[in-house]
Amino acid sequence: MGDIKEALGAVGIWSMELRGAGRPEVREAVAELDDLGYPALWLPGLDGRGALDDVGQLLAAAPRATVALGVLSIWGQDPAALGAWLADLDAAHGRRTLVGLGISNAHSAANAGQNYGRPTVSMGRFLDGLDAAPHPIPADRRLLGALGPKMVDLATARSIGWHPFLVTPEYAALHRARVGDRPLVAAHLAVVLDRDPDRARAAARDGIGMFIGFPAYRSNLARLGFTEEDLVPGGSDRLIDALVAWGDLDRIAGRVQAQLDAGADHVTLHVLQPATPERTDLPRKQWRELAALLPQLHRTT
């Protein structure tokens, strides 16, 4: 796979709409993303159902891009089967897959008939399984969905890096100061291409507002200085404006570059669409517009 930071580039696309990649309209859109020059496509893995098949479809449709699972819940996954799956993908498409792994929550663990335990211990045990599998997934092909310092430290020690969700540039700066330049930081950034504040914030709340109520995200946002007044259902305007890049291309370029300047190596753009008559199943228009940013955005670390 070579240098993962070079393979990923500065900016990629993160999209729930890429699930169900067997559909012709998704494969057509993915081929266009590849032609537009996006070096990385991020697919939410969630509990894994269908996502592993989707990765192969994306690799076939976008022959130049890296495809990353961002991220797959470890509960219900068998390390040996996951290693064999990656080996098969490598044989068919080359080493273009990055496996993101997340600890999810106790409910997901219980549904899989497993004990959640201490998050870093449970994740460490799963990584042990990947190391011992007949087809191991080595550290440079995996990253973790991490937020807090303990999981970040585990990601630094046992993977290529981590993929934080709903974070500000201050988050990247804080952890860069702790762990240094080596690990990959691939930061999620939600984007709304709309200059109207009310419409943009409504699209943001519709797309990511529910996550603000999840304990892990609330804890991390509190560490970043947000208060109970911000962590209300859907988030305060201050919080939404800090987490979501909205406006025109120039404004969004500035928000992406702020993440890169703070220490992120790669920013995954998650397009959220306003609820307008022009809304489509796949945000292809917005992906085309954002492609204009690719030549001007660069890592500074």
Side-chain angles (χ1 to χ4, degrees):
M1 198 167 186
D3 184 277
I4 186 59
K5 294 182 181 181
E6 292 302 318
L8 292 176
V11 178
I13 291 294
W14 189 105
S15 178
M16 188 70 73
E17 291 87 354
L18 298 183
R19 296 293 301 264
R23 293 183 292 138
E25 59 269 31
V26 175
R27 292 199 304 273
E28 179 184 307
V30 168
E32 183 181 17
L33 288 171
D34 200 37
D35 289 341
L36 288 168
Y38 286 104
L41 305 177
W42 290 75
L43 180 74
L46 305 178
D47 62 2
R49 284 179 290 186
L52 301 184
D53 292 335
D54 286 337
V55 172
Q57 296 277 4
L58 297 181
L59 289 166
R64 289 162 290 199
T66 296
V67 175
L69 275 170
V71 295
L72 179 70
S73 171
I74 65 171
W75 306 113
Q77 305 301 325
D78 176 68
L82 200 59
W85 165 81
L86 182 61
D88 288 343
L89 285 182
D90 286 353
H93 303 287
R95 292 165 56 86
R96 293 190 290 123
T97 307
L98 188 61
V99 182
L101 301 165
I103 195 68
S104 191
N105 53 51
H107 179 71
S108 296
N111 282 344
Q114 298 183 53
N115 178 38
Y116 186 70
R118 291 170 52 196
T120 53
V121 173
S122 296
M123 179 60 78
R125 187 179 303 117
F126 191 83
L127 297 177
D128 291 342
L130 293 179
D131 291 340
H135 296 280
I137 298 182
D140 65 355
R141 301 293 301 282
R142 65 198 190 201
L143 80 166
L144 303 188
L147 285 173
K150 292 181 180 179
M151 194 64 76
V152 165
D153 290 346
L154 181 64
T156 299
R158 301 199 57 186
S159 78
I160 196 68
W162 76 101
H163 175 44
F165 191 80
L166 296 187
V167 293
T168 63
E170 290 76 15
Y171 173 89
L174 173 69
H175 287 288
R176 274 288 178 228
R178 293 181 56 252
V179 302
D181 293 339
R182 184 196 63 79
L184 169 76
V185 180
H188 167 277
L189 179 64
V191 171
V192 183
L193 274 163
D194 195 319
R195 299 179 186 181
D196 181 87
D198 292 334
R199 259 198 324 261
R201 288 170 182 149
R205 290 187 172 101
D206 184 52
I208 56 97
M210 63 175 289
F211 296 105
I212 293 168
F214 290 10
Y217 297 120
R218 291 180 67 86
S219 296
N220 191 58
L221 291 168
R223 284 191 292 266
L224 293 173
F226 294 100
T227 68
E228 290 300 316
E229 293 180 353
D230 297 305
L231 300 173
V232 294
S236 68
D237 284 354
R238 181 174 91 101
L239 178 60
I240 290 297
D241 291 349
L243 295 178
V244 180
W246 59 265
D248 60 18
L249 274 178
D250 286 342
R251 184 170 180 180
I252 288 169
R255 293 290 301 277
V256 178
Q257 193 61 55
Q259 289 275 5
L260 297 170
D261 290 345
D265 298 292
H266 178 78
V267 179
T268 70
L269 301 181
H270 175 192
V271 172
L272 305 175
Q273 299 185 74
T276 65
E278 294 77 28
R279 182 169 180 163
T280 58
D281 289 339
L282 291 160
R284 295 180 67 171
K285 178 178 180 290
Q286 292 91 336
W287 289 341
R288 291 174 193 133
E289 291 181 47
L290 290 167
L293 304 181
L294 291 172
Q296 60 183 282
L297 295 168
H298 301 282
R299 294 187 303 270
T300 57
T301 55

